[in-house]
Amino acid sequence: MIRKLLSLFGSTILLSTMATAAGAQDMMDEDARWSIAIHGGAGTINRDKITPEQDQAIRAALSEALEAGSKVLKDGGSAMDAITATIIILENDPHFNAGKGAVFTWDKTNELDSSIMDGSDLSAGAVAGINGTKNPILLARAVKDNSPHVMLSGEGANQFSREQGLEQVTPDYYATPYRLKQIEDLLARKVSAADVDYKFGTVGAVAMDKDGHMAAGTSTGGMTGKRWGRIGDSPVIGAGTYADDRSCAISATGSGEYFIRLGVAHEICARIRMRWPIAIAEAQLAVPKDEEGNYTYAVHASEFMLSDEEIQQIADDVIAELGELGGDGGIIYATPWGQAGYSFNTPGMYRGRATSNGEMAVAIYGDEE
């Protein structure tokens, strides 16, 4: 088995020897690999803006969600089930802008968006501008599984939710004192929308299961004070959510208009998918040749992976382009090779990741690993 390590810019290739007994064991271990990454929003998340009590509560919520998704994957469950279980917990927690705790529109109503995608067959479901459903991610999944459509919106999506027997709530379920104060301050012109939305509380999860299948999901209440039925990137497949077993799974959070314009989620997956065969060809060129000029070993895709550094560089490059357009926010990713991580251009992002190699951690601020 050939192992490939790339430098940060993908310029240095090192090749190891072929599989040994230890290498064969590595491949056996890889058959049981899984990974998951989660987010609860990105933005101006500094230590001076969050009390110690809030910090503790947010970390506890992220940990609970991460552990729920990890358990599904450890037990051999699907990536789809793992991200669904994870996002439900985040939607039920008022610290985030999704489900309970969703922000208010200009008219002091709630309009929630959500999407989900299965990387094994590229099936997807999304809903926009909904209310009445307790967990929007379940409605997005129902659209994927039980309708011929990819996206439903407004009252039609609400009707579909009721027909599917999903748990319904009254409009006051989403409200919290904190969110009500935000919209009231905005409407009273005490603060600007930019000041209100000092962080984006959208939630999301991405995962790879033991079968190598990818999944991604995102859920949000949108922007405080949004008007005219505004829809951001969260329910837009390819912008805020994307999953493809051939490349990666992505969930985004941030200034949605810019994520839509750049097609961030699909862009990252496309670059990974295009880079992989190029990297394999580069590795093949580095294999020694025999006296007749033939390669002594043929690099096979099944035993080859992009390095952690190269995956991170691709994600960082796209987020840098987002910033050049004027957009703020970040993404989480999972890959077919078991990597899980994030990239963001804001001071902080509520985030966490866990893998089958024992890693499990949550973080808030930009200076945390």
Side-chain angles (χ1 to χ4, degrees):
M1 174 179 179
I2 286 184
R3 289 291 187 183
K4 167 176 161 289
L5 297 174
L6 290 173
S7 70
L8 188 61
F9 298 99
S11 60
T12 302
I13 301 176
L14 300 175
L15 296 171
S16 70
T17 58
M18 299 180 190
T20 61
Q25 183 62 49
D26 287 343
M27 291 191 71
M28 289 175 63
D29 293 341
E30 286 170 6
D31 290 339
R33 286 181 308 177
W34 55 265
S35 63
I36 184 170
I38 68 173
H39 71 76
T44 309
I45 303 173
N46 295 320
R47 286 179 173 83
D48 62 350
K49 292 184 177 293
I50 299 176
T51 67
E53 293 76 18
Q54 289 173 326
D55 181 295
Q56 183 178 6
I58 290 167
R59 290 180 191 273
L62 291 171
S63 295
E64 180 186 0
L66 190 61
E67 289 168 2
S70 297
K71 185 179 187 306
V72 173
L73 297 170
K74 286 178 185 176
D75 293 344
S78 70
M80 286 292 295
D81 287 345
I83 65 165
T84 301
T86 298
I87 293 174
I88 286 174
I89 290 174
L90 296 174
E91 287 179 335
N92 291 345
D93 193 297
H95 288 96
F96 307 104
N97 173 24
K100 181 71 173 178
V103 299
F104 284 86
T105 69
W106 186 266
D107 297 319
K108 297 182 73 173
T109 61
N110 302 106
E111 296 176 357
L112 297 87
D113 309 324
S114 187
S115 63
I116 199 166
M117 187 167 186
D118 187 337
S120 67
D121 60 4
L122 304 187
S123 61
V127 290
I130 67 163
N131 56 47
T133 300
K134 180 180 180 182
N135 293 111
I137 193 66
L138 291 179
L139 180 51
R141 185 162 180 176
V143 172
K144 183 189 84 70
D145 293 341
N146 303 325
S147 86
H149 309 299
V150 170
M151 181 182 286
L152 301 180
S153 66
E155 186 50 41
N158 291 335
Q159 178 183 344
F160 181 75
S161 177
R162 295 189 293 270
E163 292 175 357
Q164 291 295 303
L166 297 179
E167 183 174 356
Q168 302 296 299
V169 293
T170 56
D172 61 345
Y173 166 78
Y174 307 112
T176 65
Y178 175 66
R179 295 304 188 192
L180 283 168
K181 185 177 187 305
Q182 278 188 323
I183 189 60
E184 288 168 356
D185 287 348
L186 178 63
L187 295 176
R189 308 293 185 181
K190 293 180 180 179
V191 295
S192 69
D195 291 330
V196 167
D197 289 324
Y198 72 89
K199 62 180 181 298
F200 309 98
T202 296
V203 306
V206 296
M208 182 196 76
D209 60 35
K210 290 182 178 180
D211 292 325
H213 295 315
M214 316 293 299
T218 312
S219 184
T220 188
M223 294 173 60
T224 298
K226 64 181 181 179
R227 305 178 76 176
W228 312 299
R230 178 263 186 188
I231 297 170
D233 66 303
S234 294
V236 179
I237 301 301
T241 301
Y242 200 76
D244 186 339
D245 282 5
R246 299 168 296 180
S247 55
C248 69
I250 301 287
S251 175
T253 177
S255 45
E257 281 69 16
Y258 295 94
F259 281 82
I260 292 172
R261 289 165 58 186
L262 195 56
V264 166
H266 182 270
E267 181 71 13
I268 293 173
C269 289
R271 292 190 190 189
I272 291 173
R273 185 181 173 195
M274 289 187 292
R275 176 58 190 161
W276 189 33
I278 294 173
I280 294 174
E282 290 174 346
Q284 186 65 64
L285 292 174
V287 173
K289 296 182 179 180
D290 61 22
E291 294 179 354
E292 297 180 353
N294 299 314
Y295 289 113
T296 57
Y297 185 80
V299 179
H300 193 273
S302 65
E303 56 186 26
F304 192 86
M305 61 180 284
L306 293 183
S307 70
D308 296 353
E309 292 82 4
E310 191 162 20
I311 295 295
Q312 189 65 53
Q313 189 64 52
I314 290 171
D316 289 347
D317 286 346
V318 175
I319 292 302
E321 292 176 22
L322 177 83
E324 291 170 1
L325 285 178
D328 294 326
I331 60 94
I332 52 175
Y333 63 79
T335 75
W337 307 290
Q339 295 129 325
Y342 2 81
S343 180
F344 52 96
N345 64 3
T346 50
M349 182 167 77
Y350 301 142
R351 61 198 187 276
R353 62 182 168 190
T355 65
S356 52
N357 65 12
E359 178 181 9
M360 180 172 287
V362 299
I364 294 178
Y365 311 108
D367 58 3
E368 296 180 89
E369 288 295 332

